[in-house]
Amino acid sequence: MKTRYVAIALLMPIALAGCSRVRAKSAFQDGNKAYKEENFKKAIVAYERALSFEPDMPEALFYLGSAHQALFRPGKETPENKANLDAAIESYKSSLEKNVGNTPNLKSVKSNALAALTGIYSEDPYKNYDEALKYAEQLVQENPNDPKNLFAMANLFEKFEKEDKAEETYKKVVEVNPNDAKACGALAGFYNKPLWDGKSKFDAAIEVLQRCATIDPNDPQGFYKVSVFFWDKAYRDPLLSDPQKDRYADQGLEAVDKALALKPDYVDGLVYKGLLLRVKAQVSTNPRLRQQYLDQAQTLAKQAKELRLQQAEQSAPAPAASPAS
């Protein structure tokens, strides 16, 4: 009899631990449901309940931090608002401390926590280059060739005006993902931004974008993006002369014509071809040519509108059948 009681006594902690895990999982699921519904205050209560049953639960700690961060409003200087960000930081750090990273899910949670802390320390009120870099480096170490992690590092360098390091990182993303149009486009987008010395690298951006377009030469989007960059430069840069604007418009038209040759009903391509023709009309000194460009642009706008309506009708769900009388 005594042996039986000893055995029961030994089993009780195991049973209680199992019960706590079940309750923690249930509360965690409640938190996830509230989180998806964007009821972050309710989610916080549920995640804290989960942690009361299982304090070392990295997933609950991470989502607790995420829920607090979702309540934070940048620029709002109130104690309650700052407390949400402080709670988010504490929860993210606790999640990292408790996370052994021995499953794909835990590895993902760890990466997300590192990315969140990188972002927090890249912005006010806690903007701190060394702190942000510390977490970004850990993030990249988790998976050195993951474009998402490298983009986070590049974005960090941009925010702290480390132009050379940002460029190096964007280039690395392209290097390890040579067939990824998104990686290629990100480098082009970086070059197209006003850099911190007041200059730009538009020519480098175009060179990269044109290389992006060759990744899949049958995809019109690559050539379309080239045309968008040329239009944006010609239309928005006040420092360009009229001949320069005209030349950029011609180069944009050359690119968009390649896109339309691949897909004649490419609505966005038609729209930007019209916009590029309007740039040429704006800078033209020949009244006859100016009107010709405007007429072509108007025809393209009408064609794009009709195509957009047709495509919307084709994608609309069929009406439900009427019930038999």
Side-chain angles (χ1 to χ4, degrees):
M1 183 69 68
K2 183 177 180 181
T3 303
R4 187 199 308 172
Y5 288 143
V6 170
I8 291 173
L10 290 172
L11 289 172
M12 281 182 65
I14 298 173
L16 290 172
C19 185
S20 292
R21 279 192 292 270
V22 170
R23 291 182 178 180
K25 185 176 180 181
S26 177
F28 179 66
Q29 290 172 344
D30 290 342
N32 290 345
K33 183 176 183 296
Y35 189 99
K36 288 177 182 177
E37 295 170 352
E38 298 188 5
N39 190 338
F40 299 114
K41 290 184 178 180
K42 183 177 179 181
I44 287 170
V45 173
Y47 291 135
E48 288 178 341
R49 188 168 71 252
L51 290 164
S52 71
F53 295 118
E54 194 169 341
D56 296 342
M57 191 177 183
E59 302 97 319
L61 284 164
F62 169 77
Y63 282 105
L64 175 62
S66 187
H68 275 294
Q69 189 176 5
L71 293 174
F72 174 71
R73 297 292 176 266
K76 184 179 179 181
E77 297 182 2
T78 65
E80 181 183 2
N81 191 47
K82 186 173 179 292
N84 274 313
L85 189 59
D86 291 340
I89 292 171
E90 182 181 351
S91 295
Y92 288 142
K93 289 182 177 180
S94 295
S95 178
L96 289 174
E97 291 171 3
K98 308 296 184 183
N99 194 336
V100 294
N102 59 352
T103 67
N105 179 59
L106 287 177
K107 288 179 181 178
S108 176
V109 169
K110 184 176 183 180
S111 292
N112 289 337
L114 289 169
L117 287 167
T118 299
I120 287 173
Y121 286 112
S122 297
E123 304 282 356
D124 291 329
Y126 290 125
K127 191 171 183 179
N128 183 305
Y129 176 69
D130 292 332
E131 280 294 300
L133 182 62
K134 177 178 71 175
Y135 291 111
E137 287 177 338
Q138 291 179 54
L139 181 63
V140 172
Q141 286 170 6
E142 287 295 304
N143 192 341
N145 295 331
D146 186 336
K148 182 175 66 175
N149 296 347
L150 290 169
F151 282 140
M153 178 70 85
N155 187 49
L156 162 66
F157 288 138
E158 277 195 75
K159 286 182 177 178
F160 286 92
E161 300 184 6
K162 310 289 183 180
E163 177 189 331
D164 292 341
K165 289 182 178 292
E167 180 181 9
E168 181 184 334
T169 308
Y170 279 120
K171 283 183 174 179
K172 183 177 179 181
V173 180
V174 174
E175 181 185 329
V176 298
N177 301 276
N179 298 317
D180 186 342
K182 182 180 178 182
C184 191
L187 176 60
F190 167 73
Y191 281 138
N192 199 40
K193 294 175 182 177
L195 300 179
W196 296 278
D197 59 1
K199 298 179 182 178
S200 70
K201 292 188 176 182
F202 178 74
D203 291 341
I206 290 297
E207 182 183 348
V208 171
L209 267 189
Q210 289 173 333
R211 190 165 69 245
C212 295
T214 65
I215 291 175
D216 184 356
N218 295 317
D219 183 357
Q221 193 173 25
F223 298 109
Y224 162 74
K225 287 180 179 178
V226 175
S227 73
V228 172
F229 269 50
F230 275 121
W231 172 81
D232 187 71
K233 183 70 172 176
Y235 182 74
R236 299 187 189 281
D237 191 339
L239 300 180
L240 294 180
S241 66
D242 284 354
Q244 286 176 312
K245 292 179 181 180
D246 190 57
R247 186 167 63 253
Y248 281 138
D250 282 336
Q251 290 175 281
L253 287 167
E254 181 182 352
V256 80
D257 279 341
K258 290 180 181 179
L260 290 169
L262 292 168
K263 187 179 179 183
D265 62 347
Y266 193 1
V267 173
D268 288 341
L270 292 169
V271 169
Y272 269 87
K273 183 171 183 177
L275 291 173
L276 286 158
L277 286 167
R278 290 184 184 279
V279 171
K280 287 185 68 64
Q282 184 182 15
V283 301
S284 177
T285 57
N286 184 321
R288 183 183 61 81
L289 276 179
R290 184 185 306 119
Q291 190 59 50
Q292 182 179 325
Y293 293 141
L294 290 173
D295 290 344
Q296 291 176 4
Q298 188 173 4
T299 299
L300 288 166
K302 183 179 178 181
Q303 186 181 351
K305 183 178 179 180
E306 291 172 352
L307 276 171
R308 186 175 280 117
L309 288 172
Q310 289 175 15
Q311 292 170 4
E313 289 173 359
Q314 291 169 2
S315 61
S322 300
S325 57

